[in-house]
Amino acid sequence: MGRAEKKLLRKQSLIEATIVCVNKYGYAQSTIQRIAAVAGLTGGTIYRHFDNKRDLFEATMRHLLKLVLVEEKRAVAGAQTDTERLKAVISSKFAPALFNSEFCTVWLHFWAHAQSYPSFSRIERLSDRLLRRSLSRYATTLMPSEESEAFVSEITLIVDGLWIAHAQRGSELTSHSADEIAQGCLQSHLKR
């Protein structure tokens, strides 16, 4: 394994360790030392890959967004019609790989700090824009313009709300039930 591959693997292990720490300790208590310990590295190693804690957290947030986009692309690839594609975009947000307590909790911690850190805010806004763009792409072919705009706003709020609800400790919300709630919103708009 070459030097570049080792560096990439260390960065990835630090990102994964950050996810574990934020889920276990919360944002503020996820220190460089804790993250390094979870990754099996020294604290100084982090600074060879990231400028500071915020830089590591930003990379982690980008990693999570990338996972969301990969899941969406995979889901849409199997769809044949615009209705199926729109359903797939929605369902992808509740895929078990994403819609689990750990993932939702970590994303919620980052989302909560987006107001304090411009870099987090940019990623959060990008995430929102990409979701709206994906939904609009298919909704505009299935509904009148005004209706599709209302639907996109409504379903975006539903997705965010379900993720927040699932991030709560002890949530009994499942991927399947969350998807059913969101798909119900789509069905009500398609019937209008």
Side-chain angles (χ1 to χ4, degrees), residues 93-105 157-183:
K93 305 311 172 210
F94 306 108
L98 305 177
F99 196 73
N100 57 65
S101 174
E102 182 179 78
F103 194 102
C104 291
T105 299
L157 290 170
I158 288 171
V159 169
D160 287 347
L162 290 168
W163 274 50
I164 290 168
H166 197 51
Q168 305 303 308
R169 302 283 184 215
S171 170
E172 295 182 18
L173 195 58
T174 65
S175 293
H176 179 73
S177 61
D179 189 39
E180 281 186 334
I181 291 166
Q183 296 295 343

Side-chain angles (χ1 to χ4, degrees), residues 88-117:
V89 168
I90 295 166
S91 290
S92 73
K93 305 311 172 210
F94 306 108
L98 305 177
F99 196 73
N100 57 65
S101 174
E102 182 179 78
F103 194 102
C104 291
T105 299
V106 172
W107 188 261
L108 181 59
H109 276 278
F110 287 137
W111 180 79
H113 287 86
Q115 299 306 313
S116 303
Y117 301 113

Side-chain angles (χ1 to χ4, degrees), residues 68-79 81-95 98 127-139 151-152 155-156 159 163 179 182-183 186:
V68 169
L69 296 175
V70 166
E71 189 62 42
E72 180 183 307
K73 185 177 181 180
R74 185 203 57 73
V76 172
T81 66
D82 283 347
T83 302
E84 289 176 3
R85 288 181 193 97
L86 186 54
K87 288 179 179 181
V89 168
I90 295 166
S91 290
S92 73
K93 305 311 172 210
F94 306 108
L98 305 177
S127 173
D128 186 64
R129 263 193 327 271
L130 292 173
L131 174 57
R132 288 175 177 276
R133 184 179 73 188
S134 294
L135 293 166
S136 292
R137 178 180 302 143
Y138 307 115
F151 165 74
V152 168
I155 198 68
T156 300
V159 169
W163 274 50
D179 189 39
Q183 296 295 343
L186 172 60

Side-chain angles (χ1 to χ4, degrees), residues 1-12:
M1 181 180 305
R3 181 178 268 171
E5 291 169 320
K6 285 181 183 178
K7 184 175 182 177
L8 190 61
L9 283 174
R10 277 196 201 102
K11 281 182 101 166
Q12 187 60 38

Side-chain angles (χ1 to χ4, degrees), residues 8-40:
L8 190 61
L9 283 174
R10 277 196 201 102
K11 281 182 101 166
Q12 187 60 38
S13 71
L14 289 167
I15 288 170
E16 290 170 6
T18 301
I19 293 168
V20 169
C21 283
V22 171
N23 191 57
K24 187 173 182 178
Y25 304 111
Y27 179 88
Q29 299 302 316
S30 293
T31 63
I32 292 293
Q33 292 75 22
R34 281 185 168 156
I35 294 167
V38 169

